[in-house]
């Protein structure tokens, strides 16, 4: 069987000297981009089928090439393929192997294409399926969050602003806030599919090709909706990479926020949740400790995903058109970010299954800090026709009085309240009740139990 001459890199006819070992090591990306082998083979098959349809290659050669490619795919998936640094990347490794399997006819595969369009074709297909996997993981997280929310519609806790007690809320409402974020994350990933749906194959090195190729045909074969419009832009464009990295960063940021939230709630000061032993770790010196390390891991990993987004932005900044070696790093960056996020989503889902809210502590904490003061102000507006500013002032006086007396608002006597606002009657006392406060927020999107129930059942139907 004919071999690629001396089993050398393909450009050996022009470049006579052996690449320095050091350069071979840094220039090769095979250890990273071998992950694209399936996409690369699918792209090559679509390409040669198109070459046949356009009568650029013969039926026999097309069949030989596809036979060889399928053999290579099997070998790689069975871990029997030997990747070689000498051939730089996945494209050259596969092409070289094709020479070994089918001989000189392998030389037809690269007609009317370049590695420049080949690599982004592979990469776009890969990111499309990675997007689907991320969204499946997000679905799991959403499901688990809703599950806790369902059980805690009537669990009352303080809603915070500035980490100070602000107004009482339902724990379910709080958790459903994160469901909104994760749903937005899903949508952000889905929105990216639009630009991922344009096929780069056929723009060749940067100018397009003089062969009579059919880019619409290859686009459809590989599951894209249409070809890209400008060959120079296509080989230089990594906006789709940025979109993916940005979406990953935002999603990690959401995970990091809830992780931080849960770390605070788990602290001895707050003690609002209990984490099961499955998701905590001990200390090597302090025997009493049970630390929320996994949550800290999630919070910390956001640093990597943000960093990866910034690496890619920086690589692209100031890079003229069109292809440069600088771009080769895009795959390592994307794979790292993707793996980190998928890992974090799985860990987070596990944590969600191991959280127990401390309902009593949540209620007790909510019962502090004059948390129903706004309800009193609203009551004055509604029942004693005051302007909100006037009612705010009156309420502030009542809070000052309670503070001086070291009493909670609900413990004030009606006579004491009347001294500050004579119009008040016994009826006012109900506004200090936490459950009443939560349930009164019936405006759309508010924390009342009915609202939450409605939202939960709407989201359960959808997912
Ligand atoms: N491995 C290369 C990359 O990922 C493929 C493109 C190579 N093109 C070139 N002109 N050297 O960027």
């Amino acid at each position: 069987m004919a071999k690629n001459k001396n089993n050398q890199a393909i450009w050996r006819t022009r470049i006579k000297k052996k690449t320095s070992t050091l350069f071979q090591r840094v220039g090769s990306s095979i250890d990273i981009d071998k992950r694209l082998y399936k996409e690369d083979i699918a792209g090559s098959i679509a390409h040669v089928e198109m070459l046949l349809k356009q009568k650029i290659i013969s039926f026999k050669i097309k069949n030989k090439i596809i036979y060889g490619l399928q053999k290579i795919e099997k070998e790689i998936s069975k871990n029997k393929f030997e990747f070689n640094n000498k051939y730089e990347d996945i494209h050259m490794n596969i092409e070289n192997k094709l020479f070994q399997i089918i001989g000189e006819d392998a030389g037809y595969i690269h007609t009317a294409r370049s590695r420049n369009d080949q690599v982004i074709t592979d990469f776009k297909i890969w990111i499309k399926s990675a997007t689907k996997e991320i969204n499946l993981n997000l679905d799991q997280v959403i499901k688990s969050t809703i599950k806790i929310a369902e059980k805690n519609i009537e669990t009352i806790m303080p809603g915070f602003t500035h980490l100070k007690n602000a107004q009482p809320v339902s724990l379910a409402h709080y958790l459903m806030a994160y469901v909104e974020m994760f749903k937005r994350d899903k949508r952000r990933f889905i929105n990216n599919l639009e630009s991922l749906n344009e096929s780069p194959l056929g723009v060749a090195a940067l100018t397009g090709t003089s062969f009579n190729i059919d880019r619409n045909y290859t686009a459809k074969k590989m599951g894209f909706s249409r070809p890209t419009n400008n060959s120079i832009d296509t080989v230089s464009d990594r906006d789709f990479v940025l979109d993916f990295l940005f979406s990953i960063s935002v999603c990690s940021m959401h995970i990091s926020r809830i992780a931080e939230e849960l770390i605070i709630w788990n602290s001895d000061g707050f003690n609002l949740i209990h984490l099961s032993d499955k998701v905590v770790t001990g200390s090597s010196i302090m025997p009493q400790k049970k630390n929320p390390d996994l949550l800290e891991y999630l919070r910390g990993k956001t640093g990597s995903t943000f960093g990866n987004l910034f690496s890619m932005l920086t690589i692209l900044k100031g890079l003229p058109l069109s292809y440069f070696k600088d771009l080769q790093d895009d795959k390592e960056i994307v794979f790292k970010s993707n793996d980190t996020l998928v890992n974090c989503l799985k860990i987070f889902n596990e944590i969600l299954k191991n959280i127990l809210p401390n309902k009593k502590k949540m209620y007790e904490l909510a019962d502090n800090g004059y948390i129903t003061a706004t309800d009193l102000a609203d009551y004055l507006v509604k029942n004693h026709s005051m302007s909100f500013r006037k009612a705010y002032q009156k309420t502030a006086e009542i809070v000052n009085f309670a503070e001086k007396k070291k009493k909670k608002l609900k413990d004030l006597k009606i006579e004491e309240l009347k001294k500050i606002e004579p119009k008040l009657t016994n009826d006012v006392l109900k506004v200090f009740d936490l459950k009443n406060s939560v349930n009164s927020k019936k405006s759309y999107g508010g924390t009342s139990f009915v609202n939450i129930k409605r939202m939960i059942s709407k989201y359960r139907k959808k997912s």
Side-chain angles (χ1 to χ4, degrees):
M1 209 172 267
K3 265 194 179 168
N4 170 26
K5 298 236 162 43
N6 309 325
N7 209 12
Q8 287 293 337
I10 268 154
W11 43 81
R12 276 287 150 247
T13 327
R14 272 290 288 153
I15 299 173
K16 306 282 185 208
K17 289 207 175 123
K18 226 176 143 234
T19 321
S20 84
T21 338
L22 188 62
F23 178 51
Q24 210 178 79
R25 189 148 49 81
V26 298
S28 161
S29 59
I30 187 62
D31 288 342
I32 291 166
D33 57 30
K34 63 182 172 199
R35 229 169 131 165
L36 295 174
Y37 80 92
K38 269 201 180 126
E39 292 76 10
D40 196 68
I41 288 171
S44 289
I45 291 178
H47 182 63
V48 292
E49 275 172 347
M50 182 276 295
L51 291 178
L52 166 73
K53 183 182 93 65
Q54 297 302 95
K55 302 194 174 54
I56 300 169
I57 60 169
S58 72
F59 186 68
K60 199 174 134 221
I61 290 179
K62 180 217 80 164
N63 277 351
K64 258 176 116 174
I65 293 177
I66 292 184
Y67 160 80
L69 288 172
Q70 285 169 342
K71 202 163 171 196
I72 294 171
E73 182 166 3
K74 248 187 229 142
E75 270 186 37
I76 301 180
S77 60
K78 285 189 182 149
N79 266 331
K80 287 191 177 132
F81 189 96
E82 215 176 291
F83 293 103
N84 195 331
N85 258 333
K86 197 162 63 185
Y87 307 131
E88 240 190 72
D89 54 28
I90 185 65
H91 325 294
M92 304 306 272
N93 268 269
I94 290 179
E95 193 175 323
N96 269 281
K97 185 71 184 181
L98 194 63
F99 270 96
Q100 285 173 27
I101 299 174
I102 69 165
E104 285 302 321
D105 285 343
Y108 286 93
I109 195 178
H110 215 53
T111 318
R113 78 167 186 194
S114 149
R115 276 188 301 160
N116 293 356
D117 56 341
Q118 195 180 347
V119 70
I120 23 177
T121 304
D122 298 359
F123 206 21
K124 277 191 169 182
I125 301 176
W126 190 90
I127 293 181
K128 273 209 275 181
S129 61
T131 296
K132 280 191 201 123
E133 202 203 324
I134 290 176
N135 275 353
L136 286 177
N137 279 287
L138 271 165
D139 280 337
Q140 292 304 315
V141 163
I142 290 172
K143 234 193 201 159
S144 306
T145 314
I146 292 180
K147 220 172 178 177
I148 313 179
E150 267 177 329
K151 287 191 207 138
N152 287 284
I153 295 173
E154 303 211 2
T155 304
I156 291 170
M157 61 171 284
F160 307 101
T161 59
H162 312 272
L163 209 54
K164 299 277 287 178
N165 278 11
Q167 293 185 291
V169 292
S170 147
L171 170 61
H173 195 54
Y174 213 103
L175 293 170
M176 291 305 281
Y178 280 98
V179 168
E180 292 293 332
M181 289 174 235
F182 295 131
K183 280 190 164 281
R184 280 202 296 278
D185 289 336
K186 272 186 73 179
R187 222 175 307 136
R188 199 170 292 108
F189 280 111
I190 289 166
N191 289 343
N192 293 344
L193 293 176
E194 181 51 25
S195 51
L196 287 168
N197 256 342
E198 294 192 334
S199 165
L201 196 62
V203 301
L206 76 159
T207 56
T209 173
S210 61
F211 289 98
N212 176 31
I213 59 169
D214 184 346
R215 294 191 59 210
N216 275 301
Y217 177 87
T218 43
K220 293 274 145 60
K221 276 250 148 185
M222 294 181 295
F224 292 101
S225 329
R226 58 191 169 275
T228 52
N229 288 325
N230 179 297
S231 60
I232 303 181
D233 170 54
T234 305
V235 290
S236 326
D237 170 34
R238 294 296 183 274
D239 292 358
F240 67 93
V241 175
L242 292 176
D243 290 340
F244 187 59
L245 293 172
F246 175 72
S247 306
I248 288 180
S249 298
V250 177
C251 183
S252 339
M253 177 269 289
H254 290 150
I255 296 175
S256 178
R257 288 183 83 167
I258 193 162
E260 168 66 4
E261 200 102 74
L262 297 175
I263 290 166
I264 294 174
W265 295 1
N266 182 245
S267 68
D268 295 320
F270 277 76
N271 192 20
L272 297 184
I273 52 164
H274 174 78
L275 292 172
S276 103
D277 282 1
K278 272 194 183 165
V279 293
V280 294
T281 47
S283 150
S284 61
I285 176 171
M286 299 167 282
Q288 85 283 12
K289 292 297 287 289
K290 285 187 177 180
N291 298 325
D293 283 42
L294 270 180
L295 287 165
E296 293 158 23
Y297 174 92
L298 295 179
R299 187 178 54 187
K301 282 294 165 200
T302 316
S304 315
T305 57
F306 286 11
N308 292 335
L309 170 63
F310 270 83
S311 300
M312 197 63 221
L313 280 167
T314 314
I315 287 170
L316 291 170
K317 177 197 168 293
L319 196 69
L321 309 184
S322 59
Y323 179 83
F324 289 90
K325 188 79 166 175
D326 312 41
L327 293 171
Q328 182 163 283
D329 265 348
D330 58 0
K331 277 152 313 282
E332 184 171 12
I333 290 171
V334 160
F335 293 156
K336 275 200 303 201
S337 265
N338 174 77
D339 296 351
T340 303
L341 182 67
V342 170
N343 194 28
C344 286
L345 285 167
K346 287 192 195 310
I347 293 175
F348 182 52
N349 194 37
E350 190 63 25
I351 294 177
L352 285 170
K353 291 180 183 156
N354 285 283
I355 292 179
L356 203 64
N358 188 346
K359 297 186 188 187
K360 199 167 152 261
K361 260 319 278 227
M362 284 187 171
Y363 191 90
E364 278 167 19
L365 187 61
D367 210 15
N368 278 324
Y370 315 103
I371 201 165
T372 46
T374 318
D375 298 278
L376 175 58
D378 289 350
Y379 173 90
L380 290 171
V381 172
K382 285 192 250 178
N383 295 280
H384 298 289
S385 48
M386 281 185 202
S387 76
F388 183 75
R389 273 293 155 256
K390 177 107 184 96
Y392 176 102
Q393 222 108 46
K394 277 280 165 217
T395 306
E397 279 175 48
I398 291 172
V399 172
N400 282 344
F401 176 79
E403 197 175 41
K404 216 168 87 197
K405 294 273 171 204
K406 295 196 171 36
K407 279 185 174 183
K408 293 187 172 160
L409 288 177
K410 68 171 183 200
D411 297 329
L412 292 175
K413 299 260 168 336
I414 185 70
E415 296 74 36
E416 292 172 310
L417 290 166
K418 273 180 153 185
K419 265 187 214 146
I420 301 168
E421 179 44 64
K423 284 187 207 152
L424 287 172
T425 58
N426 262 332
D427 181 55
V428 68
L429 300 174
K430 69 169 189 281
V431 304
F432 301 129
D433 178 62
L434 297 182
K435 189 169 166 184
N436 185 64
S437 163
V438 171
N439 254 331
S440 69
K441 309 299 168 13
K442 290 196 169 59
S443 56
Y444 185 80
T447 188
S448 71
F449 298 160
V450 263
N451 276 359
I452 305 167
K453 274 183 201 149
R454 206 174 299 136
M455 261 322 156
I456 290 181
S457 68
K458 184 174 148 192
Y459 283 171
R460 281 193 62 210
K461 262 181 231 142
K462 270 194 190 162
S463 52

